[in-house]
Every structure is written in structure tokens, then in C-alpha cells.
């Protein structure tokens, strides 16, 4: 599954900024008042600074809605909102004449019809790689994006951003099971089939040069895994099959590819919210 996106692509420097810029941006914001000395501001300059600060400030109504729907505190919501706006700025571009810019059409929590920006696939990929240590192949990365993008707008909206992070950082095991299953259910029909297992695993496994037919090895592995997961013996894995298997062996939660952050990555990210 190709993810070519020339207009939305970012440079290597941009990718690094996604990884390091967030923490530096937040640290700089906290320290600015104590370490910077600036000349007296004119009225015009003060207005520009005020406008810039307001652009990164989450409205109280939105903050309250997010607080009700997630486990984040008000201070955490403010920080995550700033990060969201920072990431959106990386892929903002002018709308084509006669067309609506997709980065301006996703919904805001509490305002379903409001115009709002979003994070595109390229920036989202960099966030998963560089912030949450999720390094995986294109198909699985695309599936993670699709599951986060509940509005099917081809962007991660503000609402999707907070709900996705809530699951990533503080989601229960039951929520994580449902998330992983939805990611692996490629055609969204409620089942993981052998064909879907094969597609997910064939690009994740290390190919050895001496193997005459690497795909046969993948098929053999899929047969073994299917026997493990298929509790009702109907040659496909339902959500109930998946839940029962993970309850027995929690280490199989991400059997078909990494789609959740490591504990270390979660702890590091949460530390930036304090």
C-alpha cells in the first residue's frame, strides 16, 4: 500500500523536528519568561504576540469536552493541544483554487461542523516513528492511521488526536485489544482471515537469502497462528477469539505487527506533559 504524498512530504530535518521539536517547544515555552530579555514591545508587536499565543490556547469549551471524554487533566490537554497545533503547522498548505483544503475540514470536539485543521499521514508516520518508537511497514502504518481517523477525513482531527493518545498512553487492556484487532482487520468485516494475516506478516518477517520460497514460510507460520487464535474453529479470527487468546497469552496482543507504543516511549512522552 503506497503512501506517496509529494505535497505532504517533509524533509529529514522536518522529521527530526517532529521527534525533538515537541519537547523543545514545550521546554522553551516554560522557560521563556525566565531566560529571555526582550526590548519593550510596541502595541503592534504585543498584539502579534498575543495572537500567536491565542492560536496555541485551547478554548475552555473544547477543554471541558475533551476532559469528559478522555483521562487527560486540563494542564495535559493544554500541552497536547499545543503539540497538535505544532504538528498541523508542519503540513499546512494553501488550498487549491476551487477546492476545499482537507486540512481545514475535520471536526472539533463539541463542534461537529466546525472547520478545523488536521495531521496528515506523513506527519502522523513521523510521530509514530520518532515519538512512540513504532517502526513498521507501510500497510500496518496505514491501518493504524485509518483506525485513528474515526471521521474518515484522511486527517487526524483534534478529536481523533486526543482519543488516539488516550488509548496509546492510558488505554485499558480491553481497549488495546479492540484497537489492535481493528488495525489487523484490514477489510473491516469483523474478522481476521488467513489472507489478512499473510498480508500483515509477509513484510514484517526477516527474509533469509537461503530460503527458496520465503512466502511458504510465512504461510506455514500463519497456519500455526490461526490454530492458536481460532477458538471456534471456523477458519477465521473474530474479536471474541482474539480476546480469549490474549487473555490466555497477553504477549500475543501484537502478534501481527507492532501498533502500540512501548512502555518506555509512553513514559518519556508523558514526562513532557508535566
Amino acid at each position: 500500500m503506497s503512501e506517496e504524498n509529494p505535497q505532504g512530504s517533509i524533509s529529514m530535518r522536518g522529521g527530526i523536528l517532529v521527534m525533538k521539536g515537541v519537547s523543545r517547544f514545550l521546554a522553551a515555552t516554560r522557560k521563556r519568561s525566565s531566560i529571555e530579555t526582550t526590548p519593550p514591545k510596541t502595541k503592534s508587536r504585543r498584539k502579534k504576540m498575543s495572537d500567536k499565543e491565542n492560536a496555541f490556547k485551547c478554548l475552555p469549551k473544547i477543554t471541558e469536552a475533551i476532559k469528559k471524554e478522555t483521562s487527560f487533566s486540563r494542564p495535559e490537554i493544554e500541552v497536547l493541544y499545543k503539540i497538535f497545533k505544532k504538528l498541523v503547522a508542519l503540513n499546512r498548505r494553501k488550498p487549491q483554487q476551487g477546492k476545499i483544503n482537507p486540512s481545514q475540514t475535520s471536526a472539533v470536539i463539541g463542534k461537529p461542523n466546525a472547520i478545523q485543521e488536521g495531521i496528515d499521514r506523513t506527519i502522523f508516520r513521523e510521530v509514530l516513528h520518532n515519538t512512540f518508537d513504532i517502526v513498521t511497514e507501510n500497510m500496518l502504518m496505514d491501518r493504524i492511521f485509518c483506525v485513528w481517523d474515526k471521521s474518515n477525513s484522511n486527517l487526524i482531527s483534534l478529536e481523533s488526536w486526543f482519543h488516539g493518545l488516550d488509548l496509546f498512553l492510558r488505554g485499558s487492556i480491553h481497549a488495546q485489544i479492540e484497537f489492535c484487532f481493528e488495525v489487523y482487520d484490514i477489510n473491516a468485516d469483523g474478522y481476521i482471515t488467513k489472507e489478512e494475516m499473510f498480508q500483515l506478516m509477509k513484510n514484517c518477517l526477516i527474509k533469509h537469502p537461503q530460503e527458496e520460497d520465503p512466502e511458504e514460510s510465512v504461510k506455514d507460520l500463519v497456519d500455526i497462528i490461526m490454530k492458536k487464535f481460532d477458538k471456534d474453529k471456523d477458519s477465521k479470527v473474530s474479536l471474541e477469539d482474539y480476546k480469549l487468546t490474549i487473555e490466555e497469552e497477553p504477549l500475543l496482543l501484537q502478534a501481527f505487527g507492532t501498533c502500540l507504543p512501548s512502555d518506555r516511549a509512553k513514559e518519556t512522552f508523558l514526562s513532557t506533559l508535566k
Side-chain angles (χ1 to χ4, degrees), residues 246-259:
I246 303 309
E247 287 172 1
E248 293 172 359
E249 298 191 38
L251 291 178
L252 292 177
L253 175 63
Q254 301 182 75
F256 307 115
T258 302
C259 53

PDB file of all heavy atoms in Angstrom, residues 246-259:
ATOM      1  N   ILE A 246      -5.755 -13.498  23.868  1.00  0.00           N
ATOM      2  CA  ILE A 246      -4.908 -12.538  24.581  1.00  0.00           C
ATOM      3  C   ILE A 246      -5.047 -12.694  26.088  1.00  0.00           C
ATOM      4  O   ILE A 246      -4.079 -12.513  26.831  1.00  0.00           O
ATOM      5  CB  ILE A 246      -5.259 -11.078  24.164  1.00  0.00           C
ATOM      6  CG1 ILE A 246      -5.122 -10.915  22.651  1.00  0.00           C
ATOM      7  CG2 ILE A 246      -4.357 -10.092  24.899  1.00  0.00           C
ATOM      8  CD1 ILE A 246      -3.819 -11.382  22.062  1.00  0.00           C
ATOM      9  N   GLU A 247      -6.238 -13.040  26.547  1.00  0.00           N
ATOM     10  CA  GLU A 247      -6.422 -13.290  27.978  1.00  0.00           C
ATOM     11  C   GLU A 247      -5.563 -14.465  28.432  1.00  0.00           C
ATOM     12  O   GLU A 247      -5.042 -14.471  29.553  1.00  0.00           O
ATOM     13  CB  GLU A 247      -7.895 -13.553  28.281  1.00  0.00           C
ATOM     14  CG  GLU A 247      -8.759 -12.293  28.204  1.00  0.00           C
ATOM     15  CD  GLU A 247     -10.246 -12.597  28.308  1.00  0.00           C
ATOM     16  OE1 GLU A 247     -10.593 -13.791  28.457  1.00  0.00           O
ATOM     17  OE2 GLU A 247     -11.050 -11.645  28.237  1.00  0.00           O
ATOM     18  N   GLU A 248      -5.412 -15.459  27.555  1.00  0.00           N
ATOM     19  CA  GLU A 248      -4.588 -16.618  27.877  1.00  0.00           C
ATOM     20  C   GLU A 248      -3.106 -16.285  27.767  1.00  0.00           C
ATOM     21  O   GLU A 248      -2.301 -16.700  28.609  1.00  0.00           O
ATOM     22  CB  GLU A 248      -4.916 -17.777  26.933  1.00  0.00           C
ATOM     23  CG  GLU A 248      -6.314 -18.352  27.119  1.00  0.00           C
ATOM     24  CD  GLU A 248      -6.645 -19.364  26.041  1.00  0.00           C
ATOM     25  OE1 GLU A 248      -5.793 -19.595  25.149  1.00  0.00           O
ATOM     26  OE2 GLU A 248      -7.749 -19.937  26.084  1.00  0.00           O
ATOM     27  N   GLU A 249      -2.737 -15.554  26.711  1.00  0.00           N
ATOM     28  CA  GLU A 249      -1.339 -15.224  26.457  1.00  0.00           C
ATOM     29  C   GLU A 249      -1.215 -13.745  26.037  1.00  0.00           C
ATOM     30  O   GLU A 249      -1.250 -13.428  24.850  1.00  0.00           O
ATOM     31  CB  GLU A 249      -0.761 -16.131  25.373  1.00  0.00           C
ATOM     32  CG  GLU A 249      -0.754 -17.605  25.762  1.00  0.00           C
ATOM     33  CD  GLU A 249       0.057 -18.440  24.783  1.00  0.00           C
ATOM     34  OE1 GLU A 249       1.096 -17.960  24.310  1.00  0.00           O
ATOM     35  OE2 GLU A 249      -0.389 -19.565  24.488  1.00  0.00           O
ATOM     36  N   PRO A 250      -1.082 -12.844  27.006  1.00  0.00           N
ATOM     37  CA  PRO A 250      -1.027 -11.401  26.727  1.00  0.00           C
ATOM     38  C   PRO A 250       0.073 -10.996  25.756  1.00  0.00           C
ATOM     39  O   PRO A 250      -0.067  -9.980  25.053  1.00  0.00           O
ATOM     40  CB  PRO A 250      -0.774 -10.793  28.116  1.00  0.00           C
ATOM     41  CG  PRO A 250      -1.345 -11.796  29.073  1.00  0.00           C
ATOM     42  CD  PRO A 250      -1.067 -13.127  28.454  1.00  0.00           C
ATOM     43  N   LEU A 251       1.152 -11.766  25.671  1.00  0.00           N
ATOM     44  CA  LEU A 251       2.255 -11.411  24.783  1.00  0.00           C
ATOM     45  C   LEU A 251       1.872 -11.493  23.306  1.00  0.00           C
ATOM     46  O   LEU A 251       2.591 -10.987  22.447  1.00  0.00           O
ATOM     47  CB  LEU A 251       3.467 -12.312  25.058  1.00  0.00           C
ATOM     48  CG  LEU A 251       4.169 -12.105  26.406  1.00  0.00           C
ATOM     49  CD1 LEU A 251       5.304 -13.099  26.561  1.00  0.00           C
ATOM     50  CD2 LEU A 251       4.691 -10.675  26.534  1.00  0.00           C
ATOM     51  N   LEU A 252       0.716 -12.108  23.017  1.00  0.00           N
ATOM     52  CA  LEU A 252       0.271 -12.215  21.627  1.00  0.00           C
ATOM     53  C   LEU A 252      -0.580 -11.024  21.194  1.00  0.00           C
ATOM     54  O   LEU A 252      -1.109 -11.012  20.087  1.00  0.00           O
ATOM     55  CB  LEU A 252      -0.538 -13.506  21.436  1.00  0.00           C
ATOM     56  CG  LEU A 252       0.243 -14.815  21.563  1.00  0.00           C
ATOM     57  CD1 LEU A 252      -0.714 -16.008  21.432  1.00  0.00           C
ATOM     58  CD2 LEU A 252       1.345 -14.904  20.519  1.00  0.00           C
ATOM     59  N   LEU A 253      -0.675 -10.016  22.033  1.00  0.00           N
ATOM     60  CA  LEU A 253      -1.502  -8.843  21.722  1.00  0.00           C
ATOM     61  C   LEU A 253      -1.144  -8.242  20.370  1.00  0.00           C
ATOM     62  O   LEU A 253      -2.016  -7.873  19.586  1.00  0.00           O
ATOM     63  CB  LEU A 253      -1.351  -7.791  22.821  1.00  0.00           C
ATOM     64  CG  LEU A 253      -2.070  -6.455  22.594  1.00  0.00           C
ATOM     65  CD1 LEU A 253      -3.582  -6.666  22.517  1.00  0.00           C
ATOM     66  CD2 LEU A 253      -1.716  -5.468  23.705  1.00  0.00           C
ATOM     67  N   GLN A 254       0.148  -8.126  20.080  1.00  0.00           N
ATOM     68  CA  GLN A 254       0.593  -7.535  18.822  1.00  0.00           C
ATOM     69  C   GLN A 254       1.260  -8.586  17.927  1.00  0.00           C
ATOM     70  O   GLN A 254       2.305  -8.353  17.337  1.00  0.00           O
ATOM     71  CB  GLN A 254       1.554  -6.369  19.095  1.00  0.00           C
ATOM     72  CG  GLN A 254       0.908  -5.265  19.938  1.00  0.00           C
ATOM     73  CD  GLN A 254       1.830  -4.091  20.181  1.00  0.00           C
ATOM     74  OE1 GLN A 254       2.076  -3.272  19.287  1.00  0.00           O
ATOM     75  NE2 GLN A 254       2.363  -3.987  21.398  1.00  0.00           N
ATOM     76  N   ALA A 255       0.601  -9.732  17.830  1.00  0.00           N
ATOM     77  CA  ALA A 255       1.163 -10.864  17.086  1.00  0.00           C
ATOM     78  C   ALA A 255       1.340 -10.574  15.602  1.00  0.00           C
ATOM     79  O   ALA A 255       2.187 -11.170  14.945  1.00  0.00           O
ATOM     80  CB  ALA A 255       0.273 -12.088  17.266  1.00  0.00           C
ATOM     81  N   PHE A 256       0.536  -9.669  15.041  1.00  0.00           N
ATOM     82  CA  PHE A 256       0.581  -9.425  13.601  1.00  0.00           C
ATOM     83  C   PHE A 256       1.281  -8.104  13.242  1.00  0.00           C
ATOM     84  O   PHE A 256       1.168  -7.627  12.124  1.00  0.00           O
ATOM     85  CB  PHE A 256      -0.841  -9.429  13.035  1.00  0.00           C
ATOM     86  CG  PHE A 256      -1.612 -10.665  13.395  1.00  0.00           C
ATOM     87  CD1 PHE A 256      -2.734 -10.587  14.206  1.00  0.00           C
ATOM     88  CD2 PHE A 256      -1.195 -11.909  12.961  1.00  0.00           C
ATOM     89  CE1 PHE A 256      -3.438 -11.732  14.555  1.00  0.00           C
ATOM     90  CE2 PHE A 256      -1.886 -13.057  13.306  1.00  0.00           C
ATOM     91  CZ  PHE A 256      -3.008 -12.969  14.101  1.00  0.00           C
ATOM     92  N   GLY A 257       2.005  -7.548  14.210  1.00  0.00           N
ATOM     93  CA  GLY A 257       2.758  -6.330  13.938  1.00  0.00           C
ATOM     94  C   GLY A 257       2.578  -5.295  15.041  1.00  0.00           C
ATOM     95  O   GLY A 257       1.523  -5.212  15.667  1.00  0.00           O
ATOM     96  N   THR A 258       3.616  -4.516  15.278  1.00  0.00           N
ATOM     97  CA  THR A 258       3.588  -3.505  16.337  1.00  0.00           C
ATOM     98  C   THR A 258       2.664  -2.353  15.975  1.00  0.00           C
ATOM     99  O   THR A 258       2.822  -1.715  14.939  1.00  0.00           O
ATOM    100  CB  THR A 258       5.001  -2.950  16.592  1.00  0.00           C
ATOM    101  OG1 THR A 258       5.879  -4.018  16.937  1.00  0.00           O
ATOM    102  CG2 THR A 258       4.982  -1.919  17.716  1.00  0.00           C
ATOM    103  N   CYS A 259       1.707  -2.065  16.843  1.00  0.00           N
ATOM    104  CA  CYS A 259       0.806  -0.934  16.606  1.00  0.00           C
ATOM    105  C   CYS A 259       0.519  -0.152  17.874  1.00  0.00           C
ATOM    106  O   CYS A 259      -0.358   0.717  17.893  1.00  0.00           O
ATOM    107  CB  CYS A 259      -0.487  -1.387  15.948  1.00  0.00           C
ATOM    108  SG  CYS A 259      -1.354  -2.710  16.794  1.00  0.00           S
TER     109      CYS A 259
END
